């Protein structure tokens, strides 16, 4: 009987997914890692072994996802922890991003997660145990970043269905944690991981300034260490009652705090107007 859990991680060839996979393997866990590039996985984490299974998988392809999950269970006998992590950033204002650019973002960042959830929950439900981590972003809690509206909206979507999923899986003893990372020093903002608008509109000066700040100044200078994020996820998974929401990074806590203060202030300011909507009693 395995004493260490089996983790299924999407987007395991780079960024947070890679840091987590490495940390788990080093500590004796079993890992199935997926990526669109099998060679990238093998180069970073090695060939298939008793403890590691590299899988080429496109999260937007439901058949691919189903086969990868079946292969993982065939290899390890079980899946204990699922980390929905694969995704990319799309920069651009709502006006300048094309319909196709927006759909591509949702295909990977939203429907990719749902493909994994749809195919893995039946196994977790039947075994009556497991843990799902859905990686959102602090941009899935705070959306006031000009030029990042579509990206943030995909992460807000992840937050919404993760909260529902947590309730749906309670009866089956499956834990669900929604993760809001701040800025981590990965290649997320590097070429190949983040996309800029195909037809930018220069009139959006604030969006262009924030775009250049992310690509030129923030990239490589992010305040958070992905290895420490990996440590945090492992610790959360070991808790008897893991949280439904996990903010990662002092910056994430800062932005979340500002959002909470704003909401509380606006609730108080407009309470009389906002609560004057009830149907008046006829008695």
């Amino acid at each position: 009987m395995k004493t260490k859990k089996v983790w299924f991680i999407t987007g395991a060839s780079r960024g947070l997914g890679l840091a987590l996979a490495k940390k788990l393997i080093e500590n004796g866990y079993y890992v199935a890692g997926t990526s669109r590039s099998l060679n990238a996985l093998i180069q970073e984490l090695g060939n298939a072994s008793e403890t590691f299974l590299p899988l080429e998988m496109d999260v937007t392809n439901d058949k691919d996802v189903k086969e990868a999950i079946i292969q993982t269970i065939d290899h390890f006998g079980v899946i204990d922890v699922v980390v929905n992590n694969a995704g990319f950033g799309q920069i651009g204002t709502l006006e300048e991003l094309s319909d196709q650019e927006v759909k591509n973002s949702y295909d990977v960042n939203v429907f990719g997660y749902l493909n994994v959830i749809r195919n893995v929950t039946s196994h977790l439900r039947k075994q009556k145990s497991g843990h799902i981590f859905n990686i959102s972003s602090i941009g899935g809690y705070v959306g006031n970043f000009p030029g990042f509206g579509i990206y943030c909206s995909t992460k807000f979507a992840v937050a919404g269905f993760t909260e529902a999923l947590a309730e749906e899986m309670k009866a089956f003893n499956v834990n669900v944690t929604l993760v809001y990372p701040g800025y981590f020093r990965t290649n997320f903002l590097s070429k190949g991981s983040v996309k800029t608008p195909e037809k930018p509109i220069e009139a959006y000066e604030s969006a262009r300034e924030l775009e250049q700040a992310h690509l030129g100044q923030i990239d490589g200078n992010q305040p958070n260490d992905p290895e420490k994020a990996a440590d945090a996820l492992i610790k959360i998974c070991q808790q008897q009652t893991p949280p439904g929401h996990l903010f990662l990074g002092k910056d994430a806590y800062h932005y979340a705090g500002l959002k909470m203060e704003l909401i509380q202030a606006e609730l108080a300011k407009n309470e009389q107007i906002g609560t004057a909507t009830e149907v008046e009693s006829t008695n």
Side-chain angles (χ1 to χ4, degrees):
M1 181 178 292
K2 291 181 172 63
T3 56
K4 292 291 181 75
K5 293 180 177 179
V6 177
W7 291 60
F8 181 89
I9 305 169
T10 69
S13 63
R14 57 171 62 185
L16 175 59
L18 176 59
L20 177 60
K22 283 184 175 180
K23 183 77 66 172
L24 288 166
I25 293 170
E26 289 170 1
N27 286 277
Y29 291 88
Y30 301 87
V31 176
T34 81
S35 171
R36 288 175 299 172
S37 170
L38 185 63
N39 289 335
L41 281 170
I42 293 173
Q43 184 176 350
E44 293 286 356
L45 296 165
N47 293 306
S49 66
E50 291 184 1
T51 58
F52 175 60
L53 178 64
L55 294 165
E56 187 171 299
M57 187 187 85
D58 178 356
V59 294
T60 68
N61 185 315
D62 189 68
K63 183 180 178 182
D64 256 20
V65 173
K66 183 175 183 178
E67 290 179 353
I69 289 169
I70 290 172
Q71 288 178 43
T72 301
I73 294 172
D74 286 345
H75 190 82
F76 293 118
V78 69
I79 294 176
D80 298 299
V81 186
V82 178
V83 182
N84 257 324
N85 168 72
F88 74 95
Q90 173 68 67
I91 299 175
T93 66
L94 300 189
E95 180 184 354
E96 63 195 354
L97 288 181
S98 68
D99 182 62
Q100 191 58 54
E101 286 173 300
V102 173
K103 286 180 178 177
N104 289 342
S105 293
Y106 272 82
D107 281 345
V108 176
N109 293 357
V110 178
F111 293 107
Y113 278 36
L114 291 172
N115 284 339
V116 173
I117 290 167
R118 187 182 305 109
N119 285 290
V120 80
T121 46
S122 63
H123 298 283
L124 302 182
R125 175 168 52 80
K126 290 171 184 175
Q127 70 191 29
K128 293 193 179 299
S129 67
H131 195 152
I132 299 171
F133 288 97
N134 283 340
I135 309 300
S136 177
S137 164
I138 189 56
Y141 190 80
V142 180
N144 60 340
F145 302 102
F148 286 82
I150 292 302
Y151 172 73
C152 289
S153 73
T154 65
K155 294 304 183 178
F156 268 80
V158 169
F161 67 63
T162 299
E163 290 186 352
L165 179 66
E167 295 301 316
E168 293 167 359
M169 300 308 291
K170 276 184 178 179
F172 310 107
N173 195 36
V174 176
N175 296 310
V176 178
T177 299
L178 172 61
V179 185
Y180 293 108
Y183 289 99
F184 278 81
R185 199 165 296 184
T186 68
N187 56 4
F188 180 76
L189 292 173
S190 303
K191 186 176 291 188
S193 294
V194 67
K195 295 183 179 180
T196 54
E198 294 176 359
K199 296 180 179 180
I201 300 172
E202 294 308 317
Y204 286 105
E205 293 181 6
S206 61
R208 293 290 81 77
E209 289 171 1
L210 194 59
E211 174 184 315
Q212 290 309 309
H214 279 79
L215 300 180
Q217 300 164 25
I218 297 175
D219 185 25
N221 296 300
Q222 296 95 325
N224 296 300
D225 183 346
E227 290 198 13
K228 292 181 179 178
D231 288 333
L233 294 183
I234 294 171
K235 288 177 182 177
I236 291 296
C237 194
Q238 293 170 343
Q239 291 183 354
Q240 189 73 25
T241 54
H245 302 80
L246 175 66
F247 291 86
L248 286 180
K250 289 183 178 179
D251 54 344
Y253 270 74
H254 170 72
Y255 285 121
L258 293 178
K259 173 74 175 280
M260 292 176 193
E261 289 176 7
L262 174 65
I263 295 297
Q264 289 294 336
E266 293 189 341
L267 279 171
K269 180 180 178 180
N270 296 288
E271 183 174 3
Q272 186 174 356
I273 296 173
T275 59
T277 58
E278 294 182 353
V279 177
E280 294 185 8
S281 174
T282 57
N283 295 330

